[in-house]
Amino acid sequence: MNEQELFRTLQRLVEAWCDRRALQALRCILRGYPLANRLTDGWAELMTALKDVRSFARQEITPEEARLIDECVRMIEPIVYRS
C-alpha cells in the first residue's frame, strides 16, 4: 500500500463510519486524521488513532475494516519507527 492508497482507504473508512454513525470509531480516528503534518509525530498520532479504533471500537467495525486498519498500521509503522 502506498501513501495515496492509504489516504483513499482512510477516507473510505471514515465515510462508512459516518454513514453508519459509528461514533466510537469516528471519535478515535479523528484524533489523528486527517494527517496534521507529515512529520514523525503526525504519523505517530495517526497510527495511535488507528490502533485505538482497533481496540476501543471493535464492536462497530466490520472484519474487513479491521483488516484494512491492520494494513494501514503496517504501512505507517516504518515511517514512525525509522532510525
Side-chain angles (χ1 to χ4, degrees), residues 2-55:
N2 63 39
E3 196 174 304
Q4 187 177 17
E5 292 170 326
L6 169 74
F7 289 115
R8 274 197 307 262
T9 298
L10 292 173
Q11 184 65 36
R12 284 195 324 266
L13 288 170
V14 168
E15 288 173 1
W17 297 337
C18 284
D19 290 346
R20 291 198 319 263
R21 291 184 173 80
L23 300 180
Q24 186 65 30
L26 287 167
R27 183 178 161 275
C28 292
I29 191 65
L30 292 176
R31 193 172 106 216
Y33 178 83
L35 193 62
N37 64 62
R38 285 183 155 49
L39 301 175
T40 304
D41 61 334
W43 286 105
E45 189 67 30
L46 177 57
M47 185 175 70
T48 299
L50 287 166
K51 288 180 177 182
D52 286 351
V53 170
R54 193 171 56 190
S55 296

